[in-house]
Amino acid sequence: MNVVVGAKEDRRLMTGLHTVADISCGDCNEVLGWKYERAYEASQKYKEEAVLERHHQLEPEAEPPSPVLELVKSLDKQRLYREVTLALRTGLREARAEFSFLRIRGLRSILKFLRSVAESDDTINLFCHSQSIPELQVVPVLFQHSLKEVEDQQVTNLNHIFTVEPMKITSPSTDAEVALALRVLEGCCLLHRESTILAHQHKAITVLMNILSTRGVLEQGACLDALIAIMLDSSSNQMDFEACNGIEEVAVLIRDKQVEENLRLKCGEFCCFLSGIILGDNIMKTYVSTSAKSTTQANIRAFGSNPAALIFSTSLAWSEQTRSKDGYQCEGSRHAYHVLEES
């Protein structure tokens, strides 16, 4: 036999201490197994002079992945992707409808879908992948329909009366529809960061600031949350907000004693969160300081020095806690109350 017996050595195996010698191939020197020279325990004496081949060891090598298991995983991923695309296509089809009640139903479906997507990293990745497909993108549909500015249905001629084609009339967005659309926008931007780019392309800041100044309490509250979501890690949207004098517009709501206190409080929290976002970005990128300075100056102009100082201290808490919303919420609410008192 073309084998080589190695030196004897004591080796503690699963069945106890043994004296063994490795047996190797005389040509390639690969270890084929070992020979039991001595067993120290009486119950293991039968092994002496026996040879254990390597593929008979009690600790087998890791087996390669099963082709069947890989196929099952692949099919499961395809099934999950089909479910994601089907849910998006169904919701978006109704979100493009001419009537508000159909759009509301589509928005509710999409919002429910986004909540289920957020439960798993796999589904989040699939959703992000789907948003690279134009026909499945959610944000453009929101601004083309539910968040579209109201246009008068003007009749320029009477040709439609004498033809078989009816005049196309789209029902305006209701308060509930706008609020739902803002929640969907917020969810998309939090789950898929590139959605903030799509929002910027549709002049989202201008649209949302118009909603904030003209709509009711329900839409205004949702609008503030959506503004935070689209400005998070988006310098272009932050610049648009500054260009619209956004902080000054929010300050008007805070100072208006006729506005509901809950909304005024939410406006105070918004200012704290916004300052925290911009300050946090500038801590990560110390060479950029213009936006942080301009935001602080805007706070001083809008609220005065004392409320602005409170907002700044809250933004420091935000950056120090690495944007942990749960840990920051209580602190932000406390400072927001002080902002209301000082304004």
Side-chain angles (χ1 to χ4, degrees), residues 75-95:
L75 292 175
D76 186 62
K77 186 175 181 179
Q78 293 178 24
R79 175 192 59 79
L80 192 60
Y81 184 72
R82 285 196 299 269
E83 291 178 356
V84 168
T85 55
L86 178 60
L88 279 174
R89 291 181 190 277
T90 303
L92 289 174
R93 182 174 62 249
E94 293 188 330

Side-chain angles (χ1 to χ4, degrees), residues 104-124:
I104 287 177
R105 189 168 68 182
L107 292 172
R108 285 175 177 166
S109 175
I110 295 174
L111 188 59
K112 181 179 179 181
F113 161 75
L114 292 176
R115 287 169 178 164
S116 65
V117 163
E119 296 177 356
S120 166
D121 290 340
D122 292 336
T123 51
I124 291 176

Side-chain angles (χ1 to χ4, degrees), residues 234-249:
S234 175
S235 58
S236 57
N237 286 324
Q238 292 175 18
M239 292 173 63
D240 288 349
F241 184 76
E242 182 182 349
C244 292
N245 296 321
I247 292 180
E248 285 81 353
E249 293 292 331

Side-chain angles (χ1 to χ4, degrees), residues 99-307:
F99 299 102
S100 181
F101 76 94
L102 289 176
R103 296 196 297 269
I104 287 177
R105 189 168 68 182
L107 292 172
R108 285 175 177 166
S109 175
I110 295 174
L111 188 59
K112 181 179 179 181
F113 161 75
L114 292 176
R115 287 169 178 164
S116 65
V117 163
E119 296 177 356
S120 166
D121 290 340
D122 292 336
T123 51
I124 291 176
N125 292 334
L126 288 176
F127 171 72
C128 292
H129 176 70
S130 70
Q131 293 307 287
S132 64
I133 304 173
E135 63 182 10
L136 296 179
Q137 291 176 344
V138 177
V139 172
V141 174
L142 297 178
F143 287 98
Q144 292 166 3
H145 296 84
S146 298
L147 299 179
K148 184 179 180 180
E149 294 184 2
V150 179
E151 297 178 355
D152 295 333
Q153 299 289 348
Q154 297 180 351
V155 179
T156 57
N157 56 63
L158 301 179
N159 291 339
H160 68 283
I161 298 178
F162 305 104
T163 61
V164 295
E165 295 184 4
M167 182 178 178
K168 183 178 179 181
I169 298 179
T170 302
S171 62
S173 301
T174 62
D175 293 347
E177 180 184 348
V178 172
L180 276 172
L182 291 170
R183 293 302 180 191
V184 172
L185 175 63
E186 177 189 4
C188 288
C189 291
L190 292 177
L191 292 173
H192 178 238
R193 298 313 311 161
E194 283 71 18
S195 288
T196 60
I197 300 175
L198 295 174
H200 174 68
Q201 293 172 355
H202 287 82
K203 297 179 172 57
I205 294 295
T206 303
V207 174
L208 267 60
M209 292 308 299
N210 182 56
I211 292 173
L212 187 64
S213 59
T214 60
R215 288 281 185 168
V217 176
L218 179 65
E219 306 93 284
Q220 288 173 322
C223 185
L224 292 170
D225 291 334
L227 282 169
I228 287 294
I230 66 176
M231 284 192 285
L232 189 64
D233 299 325
S234 175
S235 58
S236 57
N237 286 324
Q238 292 175 18
M239 292 173 63
D240 288 349
F241 184 76
E242 182 182 349
C244 292
N245 296 321
I247 292 180
E248 285 81 353
E249 293 292 331
V250 175
V252 170
L253 293 176
I254 292 179
R255 288 195 295 264
D256 188 353
K257 304 300 182 181
Q258 301 300 319
V259 175
E260 290 189 10
E261 183 177 355
N262 288 337
L263 179 60
R264 295 175 63 223
L265 175 61
K266 194 171 187 66
C267 289
E269 293 177 347
F270 169 83
C271 293
C272 296
F273 274 106
L274 176 62
S275 298
I277 289 172
I278 296 176
L279 181 62
D281 287 342
N282 283 277
I283 288 176
M284 297 300 293
K285 302 176 182 179
T286 54
Y287 56 86
V288 180
S289 59
T290 305
S291 58
K293 291 180 180 178
S294 61
T295 301
T296 302
Q297 293 170 358
N299 286 333
I300 294 174
R301 290 194 304 269
F303 303 104
S305 57
N306 290 339

